Amino acid sequence: MSTGTGGNRDGFTSKFGIVAAAAGSAIGLGNIWRFPYVVGESGGGAFLLVYLSFVLLLGIPVMLSEFIIGRKAKRNTFGAFREIAPKTWWPIIGVMGIVAAFVILAFYSTIAGWTLHYVYLSFSNGFQGRDTAELTHMFELFQTSTFLPLFWQLIFITLTAAIILSGVKKGIEKYSKILMPFLLLLLITLSIRSVTLPGSFEGLVFLFKPDFGKLDSGVILGALGQAFFSLSIGMGALITYSSYFPDRTNLSNTAFEVSVADVIIAILAGIAIFPAMFSIGMLPEQGGAGLIFMVLPNVFLQIPGGYFISIAFFILLAIAALTSSISIMEVVVAFLTEEFNIKRKYATLVTAVSAAFVGLFCTLSWGAFKGITIGGKNIFDTLDFAASNILLPLGGLLIVVFVGWYMRNSDVKDEMSNNGLFKLRIYFIFRFLIRFIAPVAIAIIFLNAIGILRT
Ligand code: PHE
Protein backbone atom coordinates (compact mmCIF):
# COMPACT_ATOMS: atom_id res chain seq x y z
CA MET A 1 0.00 0.00 0.00
CA SER A 2 1.18 3.48 -0.71
CA THR A 3 1.73 5.58 2.40
CA GLY A 4 0.71 8.95 1.13
CA THR A 5 3.84 9.40 -0.93
CA GLY A 6 1.90 9.09 -4.13
CA GLY A 7 2.25 6.79 -7.11
CA ASN A 8 3.75 3.41 -6.47
CA ARG A 9 6.96 4.63 -4.92
CA ASP A 10 8.00 2.90 -1.79
CA GLY A 11 7.67 4.85 1.44
CA PHE A 12 8.46 4.84 5.12
CA THR A 13 5.60 3.74 7.31
CA SER A 14 5.79 4.74 10.97
CA LYS A 15 6.85 8.01 12.56
CA PHE A 16 9.61 6.19 14.37
CA GLY A 17 10.67 4.66 11.08
CA ILE A 18 11.20 8.09 9.55
CA VAL A 19 13.19 9.61 12.37
CA ALA A 20 15.10 6.38 12.82
CA ALA A 21 15.99 6.15 9.15
CA ALA A 22 17.13 9.78 8.94
CA ALA A 23 19.00 9.42 12.22
CA GLY A 24 20.40 6.14 10.94
CA SER A 25 21.80 8.01 7.97
CA ALA A 26 23.27 10.77 10.11
CA ILE A 27 24.69 8.63 12.90
CA GLY A 28 27.56 6.55 11.69
CA LEU A 29 31.30 6.54 11.26
CA GLY A 30 31.13 10.31 10.94
CA ASN A 31 30.34 10.62 14.64
CA ILE A 32 32.36 7.82 16.10
CA TRP A 33 35.35 7.44 13.78
CA ARG A 34 35.71 10.82 12.08
CA PHE A 35 34.67 13.28 14.76
CA PRO A 36 37.30 12.28 17.37
CA TYR A 37 40.24 12.27 14.99
CA VAL A 38 39.29 15.55 13.34
CA VAL A 39 38.86 17.14 16.78
CA GLY A 40 42.25 15.72 17.74
CA GLU A 41 43.95 17.20 14.70
CA SER A 42 42.13 20.51 15.07
CA GLY A 43 43.05 21.37 18.64
CA GLY A 44 40.04 20.32 20.70
CA GLY A 45 37.60 22.63 22.52
CA ALA A 46 37.60 25.60 20.15
CA PHE A 47 36.90 23.30 17.21
CA LEU A 48 34.03 21.74 19.15
CA LEU A 49 32.46 25.12 19.75
CA VAL A 50 32.71 26.15 16.10
CA TYR A 51 31.35 22.77 15.04
CA LEU A 52 28.34 23.10 17.35
CA SER A 53 27.54 26.59 16.06
CA PHE A 54 27.73 25.32 12.49
CA VAL A 55 25.32 22.47 13.25
CA LEU A 56 22.85 24.90 14.76
CA LEU A 57 23.07 27.81 12.33
CA LEU A 58 23.92 26.06 9.08
CA GLY A 59 23.38 22.33 9.48
CA ILE A 60 19.80 22.26 10.73
CA PRO A 61 18.63 24.80 8.11
CA VAL A 62 20.31 22.81 5.31
CA MET A 63 18.76 19.59 6.60
CA LEU A 64 15.30 21.14 6.75
CA SER A 65 15.81 22.55 3.24
CA GLU A 66 16.64 19.07 1.96
CA PHE A 67 13.51 17.67 3.60
CA ILE A 68 11.41 20.39 1.99
CA ILE A 69 12.81 19.72 -1.47
CA GLY A 70 12.56 15.95 -1.16
CA ARG A 71 9.04 15.72 0.13
CA LYS A 72 7.78 18.38 -2.25
CA ALA A 73 9.22 16.72 -5.35
CA LYS A 74 9.09 13.05 -4.25
CA ARG A 75 11.94 12.22 -6.53
CA ASN A 76 15.65 11.40 -6.45
CA THR A 77 18.15 14.21 -5.90
CA PHE A 78 18.58 15.09 -9.55
CA GLY A 79 14.92 14.54 -10.48
CA ALA A 80 13.77 16.65 -7.53
CA PHE A 81 15.47 19.77 -8.85
CA ARG A 82 14.25 19.06 -12.37
CA GLU A 83 10.74 18.67 -11.05
CA ILE A 84 10.69 21.90 -9.05
CA ALA A 85 12.87 23.93 -11.42
CA PRO A 86 12.39 22.55 -14.93
CA LYS A 87 14.62 23.86 -17.72
CA THR A 88 17.10 25.46 -15.33
CA TRP A 89 20.62 24.70 -14.15
CA TRP A 90 19.50 23.77 -10.64
CA PRO A 91 19.63 20.00 -11.26
CA ILE A 92 23.40 20.42 -11.33
CA ILE A 93 23.14 20.25 -7.53
CA GLY A 94 21.85 16.74 -8.03
CA VAL A 95 24.80 15.84 -10.24
CA MET A 96 27.23 17.14 -7.63
CA GLY A 97 25.40 15.10 -5.02
CA ILE A 98 25.74 11.94 -7.03
CA VAL A 99 29.47 12.51 -7.49
CA ALA A 100 29.82 13.17 -3.75
CA ALA A 101 27.86 10.00 -3.00
CA PHE A 102 30.29 7.93 -5.06
CA VAL A 103 33.35 9.42 -3.47
CA ILE A 104 31.98 9.08 0.05
CA LEU A 105 30.86 5.51 -0.53
CA ALA A 106 34.37 4.66 -1.71
CA PHE A 107 36.23 5.91 1.35
CA TYR A 108 33.44 5.18 3.82
CA SER A 109 33.57 1.51 2.96
CA THR A 110 37.29 1.46 3.73
CA ILE A 111 36.66 2.43 7.34
CA ALA A 112 33.56 0.29 7.59
CA GLY A 113 35.75 -2.60 6.43
CA TRP A 114 38.21 -1.85 9.24
CA THR A 115 35.28 -1.98 11.63
CA LEU A 116 34.33 -5.45 10.38
CA HIS A 117 37.88 -6.62 10.84
CA TYR A 118 37.72 -5.36 14.41
CA VAL A 119 34.54 -7.34 14.95
CA TYR A 120 36.54 -10.38 13.96
CA LEU A 121 39.49 -9.41 16.18
CA SER A 122 37.15 -8.89 19.12
CA PHE A 123 35.61 -12.31 18.67
CA SER A 124 38.98 -14.01 18.43
CA ASN A 125 40.18 -12.20 21.55
CA GLY A 126 42.81 -10.45 19.48
CA PHE A 127 43.49 -7.61 21.92
CA GLN A 128 44.18 -9.81 24.95
CA GLY A 129 47.60 -9.48 26.55
CA ARG A 130 48.75 -6.66 24.28
CA ASP A 131 50.02 -3.32 25.50
CA THR A 132 49.35 0.06 23.89
CA ALA A 133 52.35 -0.12 21.58
CA GLU A 134 51.40 -3.59 20.39
CA LEU A 135 47.79 -2.63 19.77
CA THR A 136 48.95 0.32 17.67
CA HIS A 137 51.39 -1.86 15.78
CA MET A 138 48.71 -4.46 15.13
CA PHE A 139 46.43 -1.82 13.65
CA GLU A 140 49.17 -0.36 11.46
CA LEU A 141 50.10 -3.76 10.12
CA PHE A 142 46.50 -4.35 9.13
CA GLN A 143 46.02 -0.85 7.70
CA THR A 144 49.06 -1.12 5.43
CA SER A 145 48.33 -4.62 4.19
CA THR A 146 46.52 -5.43 0.97
CA PHE A 147 44.31 -8.45 1.10
CA LEU A 148 42.50 -8.19 4.44
CA PRO A 149 41.29 -4.56 4.29
CA LEU A 150 40.12 -5.10 0.70
CA PHE A 151 38.32 -8.27 1.68
CA TRP A 152 36.40 -6.56 4.48
CA GLN A 153 35.61 -3.55 2.33
CA LEU A 154 34.08 -5.82 -0.28
CA ILE A 155 32.00 -7.59 2.37
CA PHE A 156 30.72 -4.23 3.57
CA ILE A 157 29.79 -2.99 0.10
CA THR A 158 28.03 -6.30 -0.56
CA LEU A 159 26.03 -5.96 2.66
CA THR A 160 25.03 -2.41 1.73
CA ALA A 161 23.91 -3.52 -1.71
CA ALA A 162 21.95 -6.42 -0.23
CA ILE A 163 19.94 -4.08 1.97
CA ILE A 164 19.39 -1.63 -0.86
CA LEU A 165 18.09 -4.48 -2.99
CA SER A 166 15.47 -5.43 -0.48
CA GLY A 167 13.74 -2.11 -1.10
CA VAL A 168 13.00 0.94 0.99
CA LYS A 169 10.28 -0.15 3.34
CA LYS A 170 11.44 -3.62 4.16
CA GLY A 171 15.10 -2.72 4.03
CA ILE A 172 15.97 0.62 5.42
CA GLU A 173 13.23 1.00 7.96
CA LYS A 174 13.65 -2.44 9.43
CA TYR A 175 17.39 -2.25 9.85
CA SER A 176 17.66 1.22 11.21
CA LYS A 177 15.15 1.33 13.98
CA ILE A 178 16.13 -1.46 16.29
CA LEU A 179 19.75 -1.11 17.22
CA MET A 180 20.76 2.49 17.72
CA PRO A 181 19.64 2.74 21.37
CA PHE A 182 22.09 -0.04 22.16
CA LEU A 183 24.92 1.86 20.56
CA LEU A 184 24.08 4.84 22.75
CA LEU A 185 24.18 2.68 25.85
CA LEU A 186 27.57 1.22 24.94
CA LEU A 187 29.03 4.65 24.24
CA ILE A 188 27.88 5.80 27.66
CA THR A 189 29.52 2.76 29.25
CA LEU A 190 32.78 3.40 27.40
CA SER A 191 32.71 7.08 28.31
CA ILE A 192 32.34 6.27 31.99
CA ARG A 193 35.29 3.89 31.87
CA SER A 194 37.35 6.34 29.87
CA VAL A 195 36.93 9.23 32.31
CA THR A 196 37.76 7.00 35.28
CA LEU A 197 41.11 5.85 33.88
CA PRO A 198 44.22 7.30 35.54
CA GLY A 199 45.42 10.55 33.99
CA SER A 200 42.31 10.93 31.90
CA PHE A 201 41.20 14.36 33.08
CA GLU A 202 43.45 16.17 30.62
CA GLY A 203 41.42 14.54 27.86
CA LEU A 204 38.25 16.25 29.03
CA VAL A 205 40.10 19.55 29.26
CA PHE A 206 41.31 19.07 25.69
CA LEU A 207 37.81 18.33 24.41
CA PHE A 208 35.88 21.00 26.28
CA LYS A 209 38.25 23.89 27.01
CA PRO A 210 38.44 26.15 23.98
CA ASP A 211 41.85 27.45 22.97
CA PHE A 212 40.99 29.97 20.29
CA GLY A 213 44.62 30.32 19.30
CA LYS A 214 44.20 26.97 17.56
CA LEU A 215 41.57 28.25 15.13
CA ASP A 216 42.63 29.11 11.60
CA SER A 217 40.80 29.12 8.28
CA GLY A 218 41.63 25.48 7.66
CA VAL A 219 40.30 24.38 11.03
CA ILE A 220 37.09 26.34 10.49
CA LEU A 221 36.59 24.75 7.07
CA GLY A 222 37.24 21.40 8.76
CA ALA A 223 34.50 22.08 11.31
CA LEU A 224 32.11 22.95 8.50
CA GLY A 225 32.99 19.77 6.62
CA GLN A 226 32.62 17.67 9.77
CA ALA A 227 29.20 19.17 10.53
CA PHE A 228 27.96 18.48 6.99
CA PHE A 229 29.43 15.01 6.78
CA SER A 230 28.09 13.98 10.14
CA LEU A 231 24.58 15.31 9.45
CA SER A 232 24.50 13.62 6.00
CA ILE A 233 23.71 16.94 4.33
CA GLY A 234 24.80 18.70 1.16
CA MET A 235 24.53 15.85 -1.32
CA GLY A 236 20.88 14.93 -1.32
CA ALA A 237 20.92 11.82 0.85
CA LEU A 238 18.19 13.46 2.88
CA ILE A 239 16.42 14.75 -0.23
CA THR A 240 16.23 11.15 -1.34
CA TYR A 241 15.07 9.91 2.06
CA SER A 242 12.48 12.62 2.53
CA SER A 243 11.06 11.84 -0.89
CA TYR A 244 9.74 8.71 0.84
CA PHE A 245 8.35 10.59 3.87
CA PRO A 246 4.56 10.61 4.26
CA ASP A 247 2.67 13.89 4.23
CA ARG A 248 2.12 13.92 7.96
CA THR A 249 5.80 14.04 8.95
CA ASN A 250 6.73 17.23 10.80
CA LEU A 251 9.85 18.23 8.89
CA SER A 252 11.19 20.87 11.28
CA ASN A 253 10.91 18.61 14.31
CA THR A 254 12.53 15.75 12.45
CA ALA A 255 15.47 17.93 11.38
CA PHE A 256 15.91 19.14 14.92
CA GLU A 257 15.66 15.72 16.55
CA VAL A 258 18.02 14.08 14.11
CA SER A 259 20.63 16.81 14.52
CA VAL A 260 20.49 16.73 18.31
CA ALA A 261 20.85 12.94 18.34
CA ASP A 262 23.77 13.22 15.94
CA VAL A 263 25.61 15.77 18.08
CA ILE A 264 25.05 13.81 21.29
CA ILE A 265 26.56 10.68 19.77
CA ALA A 266 29.59 12.60 18.47
CA ILE A 267 30.29 14.22 21.83
CA LEU A 268 29.92 10.89 23.61
CA ALA A 269 32.43 9.41 21.18
CA GLY A 270 34.76 12.27 22.09
CA ILE A 271 34.34 11.53 25.79
CA ALA A 272 35.02 7.86 25.17
CA ILE A 273 38.21 8.61 23.22
CA PHE A 274 40.14 11.61 24.54
CA PRO A 275 40.38 10.77 28.24
CA ALA A 276 41.49 7.25 27.32
CA MET A 277 43.96 8.67 24.85
CA PHE A 278 45.58 10.92 27.44
CA SER A 279 45.57 8.07 29.90
CA ILE A 280 47.69 5.89 27.59
CA GLY A 281 49.98 8.80 26.82
CA MET A 282 49.01 9.32 23.20
CA LEU A 283 48.85 12.85 21.82
CA PRO A 284 45.49 13.94 20.38
CA GLU A 285 46.88 14.73 16.94
CA GLN A 286 48.69 11.41 16.70
CA GLY A 287 45.87 9.06 15.82
CA GLY A 288 44.84 10.03 12.32
CA ALA A 289 42.22 7.91 10.62
CA GLY A 290 43.16 4.94 12.81
CA LEU A 291 42.49 6.72 16.10
CA ILE A 292 39.56 4.75 17.46
CA PHE A 293 41.03 1.44 16.36
CA MET A 294 44.21 2.13 18.29
CA VAL A 295 42.69 3.70 21.42
CA LEU A 296 39.48 1.80 22.14
CA PRO A 297 41.00 -1.69 22.48
CA ASN A 298 42.99 -0.26 25.42
CA VAL A 299 39.72 0.68 27.06
CA PHE A 300 38.13 -2.70 26.37
CA LEU A 301 41.05 -4.39 28.09
CA GLN A 302 40.45 -2.39 31.24
CA ILE A 303 36.73 -2.88 31.63
CA PRO A 304 34.94 -5.85 33.21
CA GLY A 305 33.35 -7.88 30.44
CA GLY A 306 35.54 -6.03 27.92
CA TYR A 307 35.57 -9.06 25.64
CA PHE A 308 31.81 -8.88 25.13
CA ILE A 309 31.68 -5.11 25.11
CA SER A 310 34.22 -4.89 22.32
CA ILE A 311 32.31 -7.43 20.23
CA ALA A 312 29.04 -5.56 20.75
CA PHE A 313 30.64 -2.18 20.13
CA PHE A 314 32.24 -3.02 16.80
CA ILE A 315 29.12 -4.88 15.60
CA LEU A 316 26.93 -1.90 16.44
CA LEU A 317 29.42 0.49 14.86
CA ALA A 318 29.34 -1.61 11.70
CA ILE A 319 25.54 -1.48 11.72
CA ALA A 320 25.58 2.28 12.26
CA ALA A 321 27.93 2.48 9.28
CA LEU A 322 25.54 0.32 7.25
CA THR A 323 22.50 2.48 7.96
CA SER A 324 24.57 5.43 6.74
CA SER A 325 26.04 3.75 3.70
CA ILE A 326 22.62 2.60 2.48
CA SER A 327 21.52 6.24 2.52
CA ILE A 328 24.57 7.13 0.42
CA MET A 329 24.08 4.29 -2.06
CA GLU A 330 20.35 5.02 -2.29
CA VAL A 331 21.17 8.46 -3.73
CA VAL A 332 22.81 6.85 -6.74
CA VAL A 333 20.40 3.93 -7.06
CA ALA A 334 17.29 6.15 -6.91
CA PHE A 335 18.87 8.38 -9.55
CA LEU A 336 19.65 5.52 -11.91
CA THR A 337 16.28 3.81 -11.50
CA GLU A 338 14.14 6.94 -11.81
CA GLU A 339 16.05 8.90 -14.43
CA PHE A 340 17.22 6.08 -16.67
CA ASN A 341 14.60 3.46 -15.97
CA ILE A 342 17.22 0.97 -14.95
CA LYS A 343 15.96 -1.92 -12.83
CA ARG A 344 16.78 -1.54 -9.13
CA LYS A 345 18.79 -4.75 -9.29
CA TYR A 346 21.11 -3.54 -12.03
CA ALA A 347 21.36 -0.02 -10.66
CA THR A 348 22.53 -1.45 -7.34
CA LEU A 349 25.01 -3.76 -9.02
CA VAL A 350 26.53 -0.99 -11.15
CA THR A 351 26.79 1.34 -8.15
CA ALA A 352 28.33 -1.28 -5.88
CA VAL A 353 30.90 -2.41 -8.42
CA SER A 354 32.00 1.13 -9.27
CA ALA A 355 32.16 2.13 -5.62
CA ALA A 356 34.27 -0.93 -4.90
CA PHE A 357 36.63 0.03 -7.71
CA VAL A 358 37.20 3.57 -6.44
CA GLY A 359 37.16 2.24 -2.89
CA LEU A 360 40.09 -0.03 -3.66
CA PHE A 361 42.33 3.00 -4.15
CA CYS A 362 41.15 4.46 -0.85
CA THR A 363 41.80 1.27 1.05
CA LEU A 364 45.32 0.89 -0.31
CA SER A 365 46.19 4.52 0.51
CA TRP A 366 48.41 3.52 3.45
CA GLY A 367 49.86 0.43 1.81
CA ALA A 368 50.42 -0.33 -1.85
CA PHE A 369 49.47 3.18 -3.01
CA LYS A 370 50.95 5.21 -0.20
CA GLY A 371 53.38 6.80 -2.64
CA ILE A 372 50.53 8.51 -4.50
CA THR A 373 49.88 11.84 -2.79
CA ILE A 374 48.32 15.15 -3.71
CA GLY A 375 49.65 18.14 -1.79
CA GLY A 376 50.92 15.82 0.92
CA LYS A 377 47.60 13.97 1.31
CA ASN A 378 47.19 10.32 0.35
CA ILE A 379 44.32 9.19 -1.89
CA PHE A 380 41.99 8.52 1.02
CA ASP A 381 42.55 11.91 2.67
CA THR A 382 42.26 13.69 -0.67
CA LEU A 383 38.89 12.14 -1.46
CA ASP A 384 37.62 12.70 2.09
CA PHE A 385 38.72 16.34 1.94
CA ALA A 386 37.20 16.90 -1.51
CA ALA A 387 33.86 15.41 -0.55
CA SER A 388 33.46 16.56 3.06
CA ASN A 389 35.07 19.98 2.98
CA ILE A 390 34.24 21.05 -0.58
CA LEU A 391 31.40 19.15 -2.27
CA LEU A 392 29.08 18.91 0.74
CA PRO A 393 29.33 22.55 1.88
CA LEU A 394 29.05 23.73 -1.73
CA GLY A 395 25.99 21.52 -2.21
CA GLY A 396 24.54 22.85 1.04
CA LEU A 397 25.13 26.42 -0.08
CA LEU A 398 23.26 25.84 -3.33
CA ILE A 399 20.47 23.95 -1.57
CA VAL A 400 19.69 26.79 0.85
CA VAL A 401 19.87 29.35 -1.94
CA PHE A 402 17.47 27.20 -3.93
CA VAL A 403 14.92 26.96 -1.11
CA GLY A 404 15.48 30.53 0.12
CA TRP A 405 15.54 32.39 -3.17
CA TYR A 406 14.14 30.17 -5.93
CA MET A 407 11.33 28.03 -4.54
CA ARG A 408 7.88 29.53 -4.16
CA ASN A 409 7.34 30.81 -0.66
CA SER A 410 3.95 29.19 -0.47
CA ASP A 411 5.42 25.79 -1.35
CA VAL A 412 8.03 26.12 1.38
CA LYS A 413 5.36 27.12 3.88
CA ASP A 414 3.10 24.26 2.83
CA GLU A 415 5.85 21.73 3.35
CA MET A 416 6.86 23.19 6.71
CA SER A 417 3.32 23.37 8.03
CA ASN A 418 2.03 20.20 6.35
CA ASN A 419 -0.41 22.30 4.32
CA GLY A 420 -1.42 24.51 7.20
CA LEU A 421 -1.75 21.81 9.81
CA PHE A 422 0.82 23.31 12.19
CA LYS A 423 1.72 26.86 13.10
CA LEU A 424 4.82 28.16 11.37
CA ARG A 425 6.67 29.12 14.51
CA ILE A 426 10.23 29.01 13.29
CA TYR A 427 9.50 29.99 9.72
CA PHE A 428 10.98 33.50 9.87
CA ILE A 429 14.14 32.42 11.64
CA PHE A 430 14.54 29.60 9.14
CA ARG A 431 13.96 31.89 6.19
CA PHE A 432 16.45 34.42 7.48
CA LEU A 433 19.04 31.72 8.06
CA ILE A 434 18.71 30.14 4.62
CA ARG A 435 18.48 33.38 2.68
CA PHE A 436 21.27 35.30 4.36
CA ILE A 437 23.23 33.71 7.17
CA ALA A 438 23.96 30.27 5.72
CA PRO A 439 24.95 31.32 2.18
CA VAL A 440 27.11 34.20 3.37
CA ALA A 441 28.75 32.18 6.13
CA ILE A 442 29.57 29.23 3.85
CA ALA A 443 30.89 31.55 1.14
CA ILE A 444 33.14 33.39 3.61
CA ILE A 445 34.49 30.14 5.04
CA PHE A 446 35.35 28.97 1.52
CA LEU A 447 36.96 32.18 0.40
CA ASN A 448 38.86 32.38 3.62
CA ALA A 449 40.14 28.86 3.24
CA ILE A 450 41.40 29.43 -0.28
CA GLY A 451 43.06 32.58 0.90
CA ILE A 452 41.17 35.13 -1.20
CA LEU A 453 39.74 36.85 1.80
CA ARG A 454 42.13 37.07 4.70
CA THR A 455 40.75 38.52 7.90
N1 PHE B 1 26.47 11.06 8.20
C1 PHE B 1 27.08 9.81 7.96
C2 PHE B 1 27.99 9.50 9.14
O1 PHE B 1 28.12 10.28 10.03
C3 PHE B 1 27.84 9.79 6.65
C4 PHE B 1 27.08 10.34 5.49
C5 PHE B 1 27.55 11.44 4.81
C6 PHE B 1 25.87 9.77 5.08
C7 PHE B 1 26.86 11.99 3.75
C8 PHE B 1 25.15 10.31 4.02
C9 PHE B 1 25.64 11.42 3.37
O2 PHE B 1 28.58 8.47 9.21
Side-chain angles (χ1 to χ4, degrees), residues 236-365:
L238 298 180
I239 295 181
T240 310
Y241 265 25
S242 56
S243 74
Y244 308 119
F245 284 1
D247 293 340
R248 61 177 187 280
T249 306
N250 183 330
L251 300 183
S252 327
N253 286 359
T254 307
F256 191 75
E257 287 161 18
V258 169
S259 304
V260 169
D262 193 64
V263 162
I264 290 176
I265 298 278
I267 292 180
L268 272 176
I271 301 176
I273 294 285
F274 288 108
M277 196 173 185
F278 278 78
S279 164
I280 58 176
M282 210 168 144
L283 293 173
E285 62 274 15
Q286 260 176 354
L291 177 59
I292 62 163
F293 301 96
M294 296 190 260
V295 172
L296 286 181
N298 292 283
V299 183
F300 296 132
L301 286 177
Q302 298 186 59
I303 198 168
Y307 173 75
F308 298 100
I309 293 181
S310 76
I311 294 175
F313 175 80
F314 285 115
I315 290 182
L316 288 172
L317 183 58
I319 292 170
L322 258 179
T323 59
S324 300
S325 67
I326 53 181
S327 76
I328 308 172
M329 195 182 271
E330 180 67 24
V331 168
V332 186
V333 171
F335 167 71
L336 293 176
T337 47
E338 290 179 13
E339 301 303 312
F340 298 100
N341 254 325
I342 299 176
K343 280 214 178 82
R344 200 167 167 85
K345 204 162 58 185
Y346 299 118
T348 308
L349 192 69
V350 170
T351 311
V353 170
S354 348
F357 178 74
V358 185
L360 183 147
F361 292 89
C362 296
T363 299
L364 298 181
S365 291

Side-chain angles (χ1 to χ4, degrees), residues 90-323:
W90 289 108
I92 201 116
I93 305 175
V95 177
M96 280 172 46
I98 288 146
V99 173
F102 253 115
V103 173
I104 294 178
L105 204 54
F107 73 78
Y108 204 81
S109 54
T110 298
I111 310 299
W114 294 358
T115 309
L116 291 178
H117 182 63
Y118 270 65
V119 171
Y120 163 77
L121 283 180
S122 303
F123 263 115
S124 57
N125 217 350
F127 313 136
Q128 200 54 46
R130 294 180 195 260
D131 63 19
T132 302
E134 287 167 332
L135 289 170
T136 304
H137 184 64
M138 181 173 79
F139 171 76
E140 284 168 350
L141 262 182
F142 164 68
Q143 180 191 36
T144 49
S145 61
T146 301
F147 173 74
L148 262 185
L150 284 180
F151 167 76
W152 288 116
Q153 175 176 42
L154 216 59
I155 300 270
F156 182 79
I157 294 180
T158 310
L159 283 172
T160 306
I163 298 176
I164 288 283
L165 267 184
S166 67
V168 175
K169 239 185 264 167
K170 285 187 272 102
I172 301 172
E173 188 175 347
K174 186 166 98 196
Y175 291 90
S176 48
K177 73 176 157 195
I178 318 163
L179 290 150
M180 288 309 106
F182 286 106
L183 184 64
L184 183 69
L185 218 66
L186 271 188
L187 273 177
I188 294 173
T189 313
L190 289 180
S191 299
I192 293 174
R193 178 68 266 217
S194 179
V195 297
T196 50
L197 289 171
S200 62
F201 187 69
E202 278 306 302
L204 288 178
V205 174
F206 176 79
L207 181 60
F208 291 113
K209 190 163 168 239
D211 171 359
F212 291 104
K214 301 248 172 76
L215 289 183
D216 62 26
S217 55
V219 168
I220 293 177
L221 179 67
L224 184 70
Q226 176 59 30
F228 276 54
F229 185 85
S230 187
L231 294 172
S232 302
I233 55 179
M235 60 168 240
L238 298 180
I239 295 181
T240 310
Y241 265 25
S242 56
S243 74
Y244 308 119
F245 284 1
D247 293 340
R248 61 177 187 280
T249 306
N250 183 330
L251 300 183
S252 327
N253 286 359
T254 307
F256 191 75
E257 287 161 18
V258 169
S259 304
V260 169
D262 193 64
V263 162
I264 290 176
I265 298 278
I267 292 180
L268 272 176
I271 301 176
I273 294 285
F274 288 108
M277 196 173 185
F278 278 78
S279 164
I280 58 176
M282 210 168 144
L283 293 173
E285 62 274 15
Q286 260 176 354
L291 177 59
I292 62 163
F293 301 96
M294 296 190 260
V295 172
L296 286 181
N298 292 283
V299 183
F300 296 132
L301 286 177
Q302 298 186 59
I303 198 168
Y307 173 75
F308 298 100
I309 293 181
S310 76
I311 294 175
F313 175 80
F314 285 115
I315 290 182
L316 288 172
L317 183 58
I319 292 170
L322 258 179
T323 59

